[in-house]
């Protein structure tokens, strides 16, 4: 068993970066929110400077940040709206996130479906 924390919870606790907060908390696993543009909070640096994990090179850079800090992603968090007229785009986002989760070694996708 392992314990993880939502990355956004670390942000709202007032830490300057995810890496800093995780070090203070003493955890190595976090749940990462992913937006529809494949944007995520960076591991290192300013929370508001989103990283887009939409290219292989960006994913490699993100994995390097994780490795440098001894962190891992336990789950990807998505806020989907499957009632939108652009249903294909919602499904495509889920598929891209499932592929990303596999690449990052995450165990789960959490889909907060809004309808």
């Amino acid at each position: 068993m392992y314990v993880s924390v939502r990355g956004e919870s670390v942000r709202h606790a007032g830490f300057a970066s995810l890496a800093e907060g995780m070090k203070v908390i003493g955890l190595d696993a976090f749940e990462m929110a992913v937006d529809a543009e494949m944007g995520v909070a960076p591991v290192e640096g300013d929370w508001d400077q989103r990283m887009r994990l939409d290219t292989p090179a960006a994913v490699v850079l993100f994995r390097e940040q994780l490795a440098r800090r001894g962190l891992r992603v336990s789950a990807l968090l998505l806020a989907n709206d499957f009632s939108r007229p652009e249903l294909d785009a919602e499904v495509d986002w889920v598929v891209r996130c499932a592929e990303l989760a596999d690449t990052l070694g995450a165990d789960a996708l959490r889909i907060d479906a809004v309808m």
Side-chain angles (χ1 to χ4, degrees), residues 40-60:
V40 301
V43 173
E44 303 166 337
D46 186 348
W47 289 97
D48 293 323
Q49 293 186 314
R50 308 278 293 166
M51 291 183 71
R52 288 186 59 176
L53 302 183
D54 58 352
T55 66
V59 173
V60 167

Side-chain angles (χ1 to χ4, degrees), residues 2-22:
Y2 64 87
V3 175
S4 69
V5 64
R6 286 190 62 194
E8 290 296 316
S9 295
V10 175
R11 176 183 189 158
H12 294 299
F15 293 103
S17 71
L18 179 64
E20 175 191 322
M22 295 298 287

